[in-house]
Amino acid sequence: MLDPQMLAGRQTSANILRRPFIETTVGGGFVADDGDLGWNSEIETQGYQAAPFPWSFYGRINGLETDTRRGDDPATGQFDLEDRSITGTGYMAMKPTPNDRAVAYIDVNDFEFDLSTVLDPTVLPLGGTYADTGDTRTGNAGVAWSHTFGYQNVASAALFATDITDRSNRTRLEEIGFGETGFILESETSQQSYLAAFNHIYGTGDLTLRYGGEGGLLEVSKDETFSFVFPFIPDTIISQSTTAVDVAIGRVYFDAVYEFNPTLKVEGALFGTYLDGGTIDEQRLEPRLGVAWTPFEGHYLRAGFLREGSFITSATLAPVGILGLQSDQNSLAVDGFSDTFAARWDAEWNSRLFTAVDYQHQEFEKLSIGVPASATTIDLSEGRLDRISATANVWIGNGFGAFATFAYADSENEDPTSPGFGGPLPFVPETSARFGLTWVHPSNIKVTLAETYVGSRTGDAAGTELESYWSTDAFLTWEPFDKRFELEIAAYNLFDEDFQVAPFTPGWGRSIVGSLKARF
């Protein structure tokens, strides 16, 4: 909001001095997965104009379709997976007067998938199948205005809207000799939110104050139907549920940052949250406190505590995090919240070595964990997560750079009504790592080779274990002719490692994605 013209920038040259331009990128390519071919496409346009007043725009549309078949032996896993998606993003920003700025944006996404799995014939001699289809549609839009009254005296106002719809159909059928029997689970979840926001920033000396409020309406509904299938008779509905609730939402906050000296800074904030609708009646205070200290040149220490509620929309005018520290985001119910203690040490040891160590302890109330490739969620009343990670980036020289990250997590399902009570939280691996090497050449060539490890983790509320896996990935980018063209090739899971992202939901196989873009 302080400089919305930054939304658009030339890709074919440096933006040292802002000058009028219009640039368009058109591209397309292929997606190859174990011999199956798909396609991807993209069109992007952006520009900046100085008359009749400074204004800029940005728009992008992406399309993708893939068809994957994996596995030759049903006993070890055999499935077909089709993905289709289209996404679009648009921004417009303007500065009608030297003291006023305005921004409008829209973001839409439509993702569909169709998964069909052949069940293990050693368990089901006559055969069986598991099918899962889904359609997720999201939309976000907003308009915002900002006015500068004086030095360090800025007011902003905005309107935000969000629409999310998830549809899922899961079918498990077994052959019994004269037909198929099994179960069907159909679910649909929708969420719409409308939010108005106001923010004021005022600074005096070494003290910066931020305060404001947000209020609006959240509409949530969920339908689920569980049916039994048997030959020669209509599908029998075993259970059916429908829930719908309108929740009034409100939040006010006050934040203060004080800089004692260039090496020591503190920040404190207090948020007040109000939720009312259906069975939800929540009023709570959410404090935040943090300190940042630079004990030696090149070493930066930060620590803080944050209580945060569920993010109703993806956009906000309120402060995010504390002194640049942000909590690891986990899915929460509408009236859920998390308490996070975070500490981070960033170090610049010399001009070639940079490291970071990050620790977070989190306590959750009312988790709502989404299941990959599904509209269903795993709802838990309480949970805990402790995570520590270490990252290093090294400039080797001659265009080479290396990076590495290792993380260890200890989590616990603290919901006494859950079948996985006392075990780890779903989808949280105990160990994970990523490391690799990047080479950059002055002729606008960039090559990266990376290795990713994801440790074993549970895949549902009952504690079903998903095995660990390694994935080797490689990326090539070449932008010749003054960046008028861009060739990108990305290879994922080069060694075709088999793994699952959820029970009965396999991960991607060896995939190669290529695209060629032209800018004019």
Side-chain angles (χ1 to χ4, degrees):
M1 288 298 296
L2 297 180
D3 190 3
Q5 281 76 42
M6 292 177 63
L7 293 174
R10 291 175 180 268
Q11 294 181 305
T12 55
S13 62
N15 295 275
I16 300 175
L17 295 175
R18 183 173 296 149
R19 60 191 189 277
F21 77 95
I22 295 179
E23 185 177 273
T24 299
T25 302
V26 178
F30 66 91
V31 180
D33 191 333
D34 238 5
D36 298 305
L37 282 178
W39 59 267
N40 64 70
S41 62
E42 173 187 330
I43 181 169
E44 176 188 87
T45 184
Q46 59 179 323
Y48 166 74
Q49 299 296 314
F53 46 76
W55 66 283
S56 62
F57 66 89
Y58 175 87
R60 181 174 178 175
I61 299 176
N62 294 81
L64 172 71
E65 182 172 331
T66 64
D67 186 359
T68 304
R69 178 188 293 271
R70 294 199 67 194
D72 298 320
D73 183 1
T76 57
Q78 184 182 59
F79 69 88
D80 290 306
L81 175 63
E82 296 182 15
D83 287 330
R84 296 169 295 277
S85 70
I86 183 168
T87 61
T89 301
Y91 288 90
M92 179 169 285
M94 62 189 68
K95 193 174 183 180
T97 75
N99 294 319
D100 290 280
R101 298 152 299 276
V103 175
Y105 73 91
I106 185 171
D107 182 81
V108 295
N109 187 344
D110 187 358
F111 172 72
E112 300 178 23
F113 71 90
D114 190 343
L115 170 68
S116 178
T117 304
V118 178
L119 299 179
D120 188 350
T122 61
V123 179
L124 303 172
L126 297 180
T129 59
Y130 172 79
D132 190 355
T133 61
D135 183 4
T136 301
R137 300 183 180 185
T138 63
N140 299 281
V143 293
W145 163 86
S146 178
H147 178 78
T148 299
F149 294 96
Y151 178 66
Q152 291 187 316
N153 188 357
V154 181
S156 303
L159 296 173
F160 303 117
T162 301
D163 186 1
I164 303 174
T165 302
D166 278 326
R167 298 183 180 91
S168 176
N169 184 304
R170 291 187 165 193
T171 304
R172 190 182 192 279
L173 300 176
E174 302 176 12
E175 179 62 50
I176 55 176
F178 54 90
E180 292 181 319
T181 184
F183 300 94
I184 300 175
L185 175 61
E186 299 174 283
S187 62
E188 178 175 338
T189 303
S190 65
Q191 175 178 310
Q192 294 82 35
S193 64
Y194 313 93
L195 197 68
F198 170 79
N199 174 271
H200 185 216
I201 301 175
Y202 182 78
T204 174
D206 297 323
L207 177 66
T208 301
L209 304 176
R210 290 181 290 179
Y211 60 90
E214 300 174 341
L217 180 66
L218 174 67
E219 301 174 350
V220 181
S221 64
K222 184 174 183 178
D223 298 314
E224 277 194 349
T225 302
F226 188 55
S227 304
F228 174 68
V229 178
F230 198 80
F232 313 122
I233 63 172
D235 295 352
T236 304
I237 296 177
I238 298 176
S239 65
Q240 192 170 25
S241 63
T242 299
T243 58
V245 61
D246 294 343
V247 181
I249 54 179
R251 183 168 68 159
V252 294
Y253 56 88
F254 183 85
D255 178 277
V257 180
Y258 187 77
E259 186 173 335
F260 289 94
N261 54 57
T263 65
L264 182 62
K265 182 187 294 186
V266 296
E267 180 177 359
L270 184 63
F271 286 65
T273 297
Y274 170 83
L275 301 169
D276 184 29
T279 60
I280 299 175
D281 184 10
E282 186 87 8
Q283 298 89 38
R284 65 171 179 266
L285 294 177
E286 300 174 359
R288 301 180 185 181
L289 182 64
V291 58
W293 181 38
T294 306
F296 311 104
E297 184 177 355
H299 291 259
Y300 311 94
L301 302 175
R302 288 174 291 167
F305 170 84
L306 306 89
R307 170 169 290 184
E308 297 173 297
S310 175
F311 289 93
I312 305 300
T313 66
S314 59
T316 181
L317 296 181
V320 177
I322 193 87
L323 290 175
L325 289 174
Q326 295 190 35
S327 62
D328 293 334
Q329 297 301 309
N330 288 274
S331 300
L332 299 170
V334 173
D335 55 340
F337 67 91
S338 65
D339 286 338
T340 302
F341 170 77
R344 184 178 176 92
W345 171 28
D346 294 281
E348 181 180 347
W349 297 95
N350 51 51
S351 61
R352 293 179 177 269
L353 176 62
F354 307 85
T355 62
V357 178
D358 185 273
Y359 169 73
Q360 292 197 9
H361 169 79
Q362 295 181 285
E363 298 281 349
F364 304 105
E365 294 285 338
K366 299 183 180 179
L367 280 160
S368 184
I369 304 170
V371 177
S374 172
T376 59
T377 60
I378 300 173
D379 298 326
L380 304 174
S381 63
E382 295 180 68
R384 176 191 57 81
L385 174 62
D386 286 274
R387 184 179 185 273
I388 186 169
S389 65
T391 299
N393 291 277
V394 182
W395 174 37
I396 300 173
N398 295 318
F400 284 94
F403 58 90
T405 297
F406 175 81
Y408 171 81
D410 178 61
S411 65
E412 184 178 0
N413 176 350
E414 298 179 334
D415 185 350
T417 64
S418 168
F421 175 62
L425 292 173
F427 308 115
V428 177
E430 184 177 48
T431 55
S432 59
R434 182 172 174 82
F435 55 89
L437 190 68
T438 295
W439 176 68
V440 179
H441 192 268
S443 57
N444 296 325
I445 297 176
K446 180 180 179 181
V447 179
T448 298
L449 181 65
E451 189 76 14
T452 301
Y453 172 76
V454 178
S456 60
R457 62 238 177 264
T458 59
D460 52 31
T464 302
E465 182 174 318
L466 303 177
E467 294 183 356
S468 61
Y469 68 91
W470 289 88
S471 177
T472 304
D473 309 319
F475 310 91
L476 167 67
T477 302
W478 180 34
E479 297 177 293
F481 308 112
D482 295 326
K483 296 187 176 182
R484 291 294 179 181
F485 292 89
E486 180 179 316
L487 174 66
E488 288 185 310
I489 298 178
Y492 302 92
N493 195 4
L494 282 171
F495 298 105
D496 203 21
E497 182 83 6
D498 290 326
F499 64 95
Q500 291 185 318
V501 295
F504 297 107
T505 306
W508 52 94
R510 182 189 296 114
S511 306
I512 300 177
V513 180
S515 67
L516 178 63
K517 302 175 186 178
R519 300 188 180 106
F520 50 89

